[in-house]
Amino acid sequence: MRWLLALVLLMLSAAPVSAQIDLSRAGITRLDNGLTIIVLEDHTLPVVSVQVLYKSGSRDETTGKTGLAHFLEHLAFRASKNFPNGAATDAIYDAGGEWHGYTWIDQTTYFATVPASQLDLLLAIEADRMARVTIEPASIAAEQGAVISEMRGYQNDPSSVLFDAVAAAALQAHPYRNNTIGFESDVTALTAEDAEAFYAANYAPGNAVLAIVGDVDAKDALHRARAVFGSLAARNLAVRVKAVEPPQSGERRVTLHGPVERNYLRIAYPAPAFTSPDFPAFLLMQQLLSGGSGVNFRQNDWGTPTDKDATLHGVAEDIASWVVPTADPYLFMLTASSDDGLIALEREITDRINSFRAAMPEAAWLGAARVAVRTALIFDLETPEDAAHQLAYFEGLGGLDALLGLNAALDRVTPEDIQRIARTYLDPARRTVGWYLPGEASSPLEVASGEPDPVGDKHASSTARVNDPGPRLAYLANGLPVILRPIGYSPTIALHIVTSLGGSGTGYGVVTGEALPANLPDLIKRLANEARQITPPEAITRSSDPAARLEQIFNAMRPANFGPPGSAVVAVLSGEIDLQQALPVLEAGLGSVEVDKIETVAVGAPDPQLRTITERIDLPLAQAALGYAVDVAPPGSAEGLATRMLLYVLTHDYGGRLGDVAIRDQGLVYYIASDYLGDRSQGTVEISMGVDPNKIDKMEELLRSEILRLASEPPIEAELTAARSHILGREVTAAMDNREIAQHLARTWLATGALPDREKLAQQLDAVTGADIARAAAQFATGSILRVDVGPAPKGETP
């Protein structure tokens, strides 16, 4: 049967196609301002089609402004300097023409077809649109309403809803993942200024392609276009982000529930860019697997029904496939639906695809597919408007030469190529499966608007200032210090218990939890039990995650605490508590636990210079870890306060000396974490960051140099003033919920043996001297740089 099909199609392909528009006859001119003009003279019909394509689409939008390219398309039809108030579309209609436009991921395009005598009208309209669009703030609300109405139509279509969900799951990094029409919250927030900025950055001659096709004299048409567009000024263009989608290493799944009557299935596989050498073979693979429809985006109709000789024919009544030409790799999708669930349907599709991947197609079957694809390409070009579209579309993708050579490329595809393409792109580990099932959709979450809605005037009412009693310190009968912090604005409680981990060189353990006040006895019982079961770090399996492994190394290096394992050091209760009622409950729950008292521990002499400790995880992970650990003075001492100031000068999240260079200037890392742990006898500073493997050497060198620079170039007064201000300010802002408050109180108790006192802290910071800073800087530079490398060890390196 396939031999017969091949014979019939070969006979069809040999028939004369004199009416076929020959795109290779088009002339291409680039003006000094960057505009590309393509003219194709074709006298088949007494019409002319003009298309202007801007190489800007939804991929060029930013987070929070999705839908902007499409929104601007709407506005650009609305008004320009010489065609206000919709005059452009009125003029086209008045001339007996038709107009269209669309926004897609790579482009925004405008096109119209009119009687050939009206070419100048279309050129004038498009030149005005390119340089003189007028965006009136008063028109924004109306256009938003139009766009949202359009959006609602898509939302009613189960296939469109599932398409968006699957694309967003299949693509993690590339902006192709975004819905072209945008998210409703973004569209409703767009402003005239947003549209004007996007227009200025993208609607410029150097970012545009003008195609003229029809009953014109090619030289005369070019002359007319040059006269109208040549005077437009060149403009700087927005730099397009070149995102590369990371490899997918496992199947992804999406399940939606909503008001649908059938069960909808969509499976997405990766697809090559149009200019990829794989694309011709991919088109033939699609034809063999399911059937294709050419490469005219306007004619694709979001899905092609399967051919009767295709592998997937008959799997479902509405089984279809979809792929479109794009500038970057995108998606190949299969769609189907069922009344009887999707498990069997998905399994059958999967089994057929696996069989297709396993077997090389017969030469005759491939020949028939080649003829079918060529036939579809013929139907891509039925009108001058089709030709103008294809010329502008593919020139915009940078693929016009590939389009013109597509037939020849199809001839070169072999059965071996088809099998390679199928095994590469139809890999089960690279697919994304979406189900849309009948059921009740989740209600939208209530979110803040970002700005309060205005309300009518009203007189302000006053409330009495609450008397804050502050934290209270008490001791249970067993000597355990407990800190109670009533919080008037919180209806919950948090309990934070610090425990000893024994003489394992790993510092302290923590158990913490939250509950309603009435459940305090149960909370105490649960946390006391957890404290007894804390696993010593040395018993934990070595992690294969670089960040987690770095934390394990920190744990092993922290100063020792020699109390009995599981013994309590301090407990903090914060939230809605009554002091007189809470103490008896704490006594009943914690009064019999063993208590560990903080004692001075002798700390060995520090190394005179920095050292590096390196470990390797023999996995091809994307990111390594880098850290620094150093034993320093107790946090509550004068030298400890100097160390806190130095740590702030060195690094604080994205800033500090280290952050400014590593993040802002060189982009070596994204974020730098730091902490200062300790009690009244000892302290340790820890710094950590994730680093790309190819940047870790440079980052280690920078980390080392900046640590040493604290001593060689001591902080200037402005840096120290900023550090003092930060430390004092964080006393107010660092702890706001019950967990944070309890943790802060516990750490302050460990470091100072007292409750927080901001005034006293300010005095202590002011008393820090240059000599304190110098001693702290010298001590700061005696720690260990910790590297957790990833990937196989280089030759000569011991794993």
Side-chain angles (χ1 to χ4, degrees):
M1 186 66 181
R2 287 173 178 164
W3 282 96
L4 177 61
L5 174 65
L7 177 61
V8 172
L9 289 175
L10 283 170
M11 292 174 63
L12 288 173
S13 68
V17 286
S18 58
Q20 176 70 36
I21 298 175
D22 184 2
L23 299 183
S24 66
R25 294 189 299 104
I28 302 176
T29 303
R30 289 178 175 81
L31 303 186
D32 292 341
N33 59 14
L35 177 65
T36 298
I37 301 177
I38 305 176
V39 181
L40 175 59
E41 183 175 328
D42 182 87
H43 302 291
T44 305
L45 296 171
V47 299
V48 63
S49 291
V50 171
Q51 174 145 344
V52 173
L53 178 142
Y54 295 93
K55 293 177 275 189
S56 303
S58 62
R59 65 176 295 171
D60 301 295
E61 297 161 349
T62 58
T63 300
K65 307 219 180 270
T66 60
L68 180 54
H70 174 254
F71 187 64
L72 178 59
E73 176 209 334
H74 277 240
L75 294 171
F77 274 118
R78 179 180 284 268
S80 61
K81 181 179 179 180
N82 297 309
F83 297 90
N85 303 319
T89 53
D90 288 343
I92 294 171
Y93 281 135
D94 289 346
E98 62 178 21
W99 59 271
H100 307 277
Y102 67 78
T103 303
W104 182 228
I105 52 181
D106 287 313
Q107 61 280 112
T108 303
T109 188
Y110 304 86
F111 49 103
T113 300
V114 293
S117 61
Q118 297 296 318
L119 171 61
D120 289 343
L121 171 65
L122 298 189
L123 296 179
I125 289 172
E126 295 305 333
D128 223 37
R129 196 185 333 258
M130 186 175 291
R132 295 176 286 270
V133 164
T134 55
I135 300 172
E136 298 293 339
S139 67
I140 297 297
E143 210 58 64
Q144 286 169 329
V147 171
I148 291 173
S149 177
E150 182 181 356
M151 186 186 300
R152 295 282 190 267
Y154 295 132
Q155 291 171 347
N156 282 347
D157 177 16
S159 182
S160 294
V161 172
L162 191 55
F163 178 98
D164 290 342
V166 170
L171 301 171
Q172 302 290 296
H174 201 287
Y176 280 173
R177 73 191 306 268
N178 290 332
N179 182 344
T180 302
I181 201 169
F183 297 108
E184 183 172 340
S185 59
D186 288 355
V187 172
T188 58
L190 293 175
T191 65
E193 290 76 17
D194 293 330
E196 288 168 349
F198 195 86
Y199 176 76
N202 294 283
Y203 281 46
N207 201 41
V209 179
L210 165 65
I212 304 171
V213 178
D215 189 16
V216 297
D217 177 272
K219 291 183 179 179
D220 179 67
L222 177 60
H223 173 75
R224 292 170 184 267
R226 190 189 294 274
V228 175
F229 289 89
S231 61
L232 302 183
R235 298 202 304 272
N236 293 329
L237 303 175
V239 177
R240 171 167 279 182
V241 175
K242 298 185 181 298
V244 177
E245 187 67 22
Q248 183 173 337
S249 57
E251 181 188 85
R252 298 171 184 157
R253 301 190 73 89
V254 176
T255 301
L256 305 180
H257 295 272
V260 294
E261 296 178 352
R262 290 173 62 84
N263 303 284
Y264 292 87
L265 172 68
R266 186 175 287 269
I267 304 175
Y269 293 93
F274 179 74
T275 55
S276 167
D278 287 345
F279 196 85
F282 196 96
L283 278 181
L284 289 169
M285 186 271 293
Q286 179 197 16
Q287 181 65 40
L288 293 167
L289 182 68
S290 56
S293 60
V295 293
N296 189 326
F297 177 74
R298 288 187 63 214
Q299 296 181 3
N300 189 277
D301 201 29
W302 300 99
T304 302
T306 56
D307 186 270
K308 63 184 178 64
D309 280 311
T311 297
L312 294 178
H313 179 70
V315 170
E317 182 179 348
D318 58 351
I319 181 74
S321 68
W322 180 86
V323 67
V324 293
T326 51
D328 292 342
Y330 190 40
L331 299 172
F332 168 62
M333 293 198 183
L334 299 170
T335 63
S337 65
S338 170
D339 290 324
D340 302 318
L342 296 177
I343 295 176
L345 175 60
E346 182 183 329
R347 183 185 298 117
E348 178 65 16
I349 291 174
T350 301
D351 290 344
R352 293 197 190 189
I353 291 176
N354 288 340
S355 297
F356 180 81
R357 294 176 73 235
M360 192 179 301
E362 299 171 2
W365 190 23
L366 176 57
R370 187 178 286 114
V371 174
V373 171
R374 283 179 174 164
T375 302
L377 294 177
I378 292 173
F379 284 102
D380 281 350
L381 291 171
E382 295 185 276
T383 68
E385 190 169 278
D386 288 335
H389 177 274
Q390 295 298 82
L391 289 168
Y393 186 97
F394 286 94
E395 175 63 17
L397 295 182
L400 184 53
D401 287 341
L403 176 67
L404 298 179
L406 184 55
N407 270 308
L410 293 171
D411 281 338
R412 295 190 293 270
V413 176
T414 66
E416 290 81 4
D417 292 329
I418 296 297
Q419 188 173 52
R420 175 182 62 83
I421 292 295
R423 290 180 173 179
T424 300
Y425 290 93
L426 302 182
D427 184 347
R430 303 179 70 185
R431 75 176 189 170
T432 301
V433 180
W435 287 14
Y436 196 10
L437 308 176
E440 185 174 350
S442 299
S443 300
L445 297 175
E446 184 177 351
V447 296
S449 65
E451 293 290 342
D453 291 331
V455 297
D457 292 346
K458 67 175 183 178
H459 294 292
S461 59
S462 61
T463 58
R465 182 179 296 274
V466 176
N467 181 30
D468 183 2
R472 300 290 182 89
L473 174 63
Y475 290 86
L476 302 184
N478 59 357
L480 177 66
V482 293
I483 301 171
L484 300 99
R485 181 63 168 98
I487 302 295
Y489 57 80
S490 173
T492 65
I493 55 173
L495 180 61
H496 188 92
I497 305 174
V498 178
T499 70
S500 172
L501 292 178
S504 57
T506 54
Y508 297 97
V510 171
V511 290
T512 186
E514 291 179 295
L516 294 175
N519 296 327
L520 176 57
D522 293 336
L523 178 61
I524 294 173
K525 182 178 179 180
R526 175 170 63 84
L527 294 185
N529 184 57
E530 289 180 8
R532 288 189 291 268
Q533 299 180 21
I534 292 178
T535 303
E538 61 267 24
I540 297 175
T541 303
R542 174 173 168 160
S543 175
S544 60
D545 174 76
R549 180 57 192 154
L550 181 60
E551 179 63 24
Q552 290 177 339
I553 298 172
F554 281 145
N555 280 334
M557 296 181 68
R558 285 170 187 159
N561 178 274
F562 292 97
S567 58
V569 178
V570 65
V572 183
L573 179 63
S574 174
E576 188 180 83
I577 56 177
D578 180 280
L579 297 179
Q580 293 183 347
Q581 294 180 6
L583 271 174
V585 178
L586 289 167
E587 182 70 52
L590 298 175
S592 60
V593 302
E594 195 165 3
V595 176
D596 176 24
K597 296 182 179 180
I598 298 173
E599 298 180 359
T600 301
V601 178
V603 179
D607 291 334
Q609 58 185 8
L610 290 176
R611 60 174 179 157
T612 299
I613 300 174
T614 302
E615 290 196 8
R616 179 173 293 277
I617 297 174
D618 190 15
L619 293 173
L621 303 176
Q623 193 172 70
L626 184 67
Y628 182 67
V630 59
D631 293 337
V632 292
S637 65
E639 195 170 304
L641 290 177
T643 300
R644 287 183 68 181
M645 295 168 69
L646 278 174
L647 180 58
Y648 182 79
V649 170
L650 176 66
T651 180
H652 43 273
D653 299 338
Y654 304 94
R657 290 182 175 183
L658 182 62
D660 287 347
V661 179
I663 301 173
R664 184 192 63 191
D665 297 342
Q666 298 186 23
L668 297 177
V669 297
Y670 166 70
Y671 179 81
I672 301 173
S674 60
D675 206 353
Y676 187 179
L677 306 172
D679 55 27
R680 294 187 291 283
S681 66
Q682 54 202 339
T684 183
V685 167
E686 297 171 356
I687 300 171
S688 62
M689 64 207 77
V691 193
D692 290 350
N694 62 341
K695 296 179 180 180
I696 193 168
D697 291 337
K698 189 172 184 179
M699 188 63 219
E700 179 190 355
E701 180 183 350
L702 178 61
L703 176 61
R704 182 186 302 272
S705 66
E706 289 298 333
I707 290 170
L708 296 175
R709 192 160 73 92
L710 291 174
S712 63
E713 298 179 30
I716 62 175
E717 186 55 37
E719 290 177 306
L720 296 176
T721 298
R724 291 188 185 96
S725 177
H726 169 79
I727 293 170
L728 284 174
R730 291 299 286 165
E731 288 293 304
V732 177
T733 64
M736 302 184 71
D737 64 40
N738 283 328
R739 280 180 178 262
E740 293 171 343
I741 291 169
Q743 180 187 41
H744 176 63
L745 289 170
R747 292 184 66 161
T748 301
W749 171 260
L750 288 175
T752 66
L755 300 176
D757 187 330
R758 193 166 182 269
E759 290 185 6
K760 182 178 180 180
L761 177 61
Q763 296 171 358
Q764 291 172 329
L765 288 169
D766 288 339
V768 173
T769 66
D772 294 328
I773 294 292
R775 285 192 297 272
Q779 179 75 18
F780 206 100
T782 61
S784 300
I785 293 176
L786 311 173
R787 288 181 55 144
V788 182
D789 291 322
V790 297
K795 291 183 179 180
E797 179 182 307
T798 302

